[in-house]
Amino acid sequence: GEDFPFIFVQLASYLKRTTAPVDDSWAELREAQRLILKLPNTGMAVAVDIGDAKNIHPGNKQDVGTRSALWARNKVYGENIPYCGPTYKAMLAKNSSLVVEFDHCYKGLTASDNREVTGFAIAGKDGVYHWAKAKIDKNTIILSSDQVTEPISVRYAWSSNPDCNLINSAKLPAGPFEAKL
């Protein structure tokens, strides 16, 4: 019936890593997958952080299975546990920055590898994306770039094989997304 739960795995990272922000068909597909979550009883395991540049079917099935199971345990079986990474909630412009708010932060946001937060790009009205400096502030990320004075859009992990490292306190990764003011 209509209430049958449907949990799927988002496309993992694949192919060569790019050094500049790009338009990317794999990122477009991941965004289409993310938008499926608007439908009732759907869940998505993010796998952008556990792919393989040389293999379209990455070897790490353990984390994929664990992340899928967390969705099921929370949404199907009602366990009160963290089940997904930070998800885009809202955005506003502030001075020459974008402030992006996330759901599912639990006890906070951090980088998975002790570096600065990576993977965010912002664009102004010209639609040209530039890498953004990202600063964590509670459940938000403040994004800025010297090349974008009036940012109106953001992309995170927007490539076939992105360098991205945003996670929540449950060590679950943020998934790729695109948003515009």
Side-chain angles (χ1 to χ4, degrees), residues 75-168:
K75 295 297 188 184
V76 180
Y77 298 104
E79 289 184 47
N80 186 15
I81 58 168
Y83 63 94
C84 70
T87 55
Y88 172 80
K89 180 179 181 181
M91 174 174 64
L92 60 88
K94 187 174 180 184
N95 304 322
S96 59
S97 299
L98 284 177
V99 181
V100 181
E101 185 180 3
F102 290 85
D103 279 327
H104 306 292
C105 301
Y106 305 108
K107 295 176 186 157
L109 298 170
T110 189
S112 61
D113 52 11
N114 297 317
R115 291 185 297 156
E116 296 287 312
V117 173
T118 61
F120 283 96
I122 59 175
K125 290 186 180 87
D126 63 1
V128 178
Y129 283 87
H130 299 274
W131 293 127
K133 290 188 200 76
K135 181 175 171 279
I136 296 171
D137 181 21
K138 297 184 181 72
N139 290 349
T140 67
I141 302 276
I142 302 165
L143 301 171
S144 62
S145 168
D146 293 341
Q147 292 128 311
V148 185
T149 53
E150 292 181 51
I152 61 163
S153 60
V154 59
R155 287 176 171 172
Y156 175 70
W158 200 264
S159 74
S160 299
N161 187 357
D163 180 10
C164 55
N165 63 359
L166 182 65
I167 60 171
N168 61 20

Side-chain angles (χ1 to χ4, degrees), residues 19-125:
T19 55
V22 291
D23 287 326
D24 187 279
S25 58
W26 274 64
E28 297 282 349
L29 280 168
R30 287 192 196 108
E31 182 70 355
Q33 289 180 295
R34 182 181 76 89
L35 295 174
I36 291 168
L37 294 173
K38 292 178 180 175
L39 298 173
N41 289 322
T42 55
M44 180 181 74
V46 171
V48 73
D49 60 325
I50 51 177
D52 181 335
K54 293 181 170 54
N55 187 347
I56 199 165
H57 297 288
N60 182 349
K61 308 291 191 240
Q62 189 73 34
D63 285 329
V64 170
T66 297
R67 292 172 187 179
S68 299
L70 289 173
W71 272 90
R73 288 174 60 194
N74 180 283
K75 295 297 188 184
V76 180
Y77 298 104
E79 289 184 47
N80 186 15
I81 58 168
Y83 63 94
C84 70
T87 55
Y88 172 80
K89 180 179 181 181
M91 174 174 64
L92 60 88
K94 187 174 180 184
N95 304 322
S96 59
S97 299
L98 284 177
V99 181
V100 181
E101 185 180 3
F102 290 85
D103 279 327
H104 306 292
C105 301
Y106 305 108
K107 295 176 186 157
L109 298 170
T110 189
S112 61
D113 52 11
N114 297 317
R115 291 185 297 156
E116 296 287 312
V117 173
T118 61
F120 283 96
I122 59 175
K125 290 186 180 87

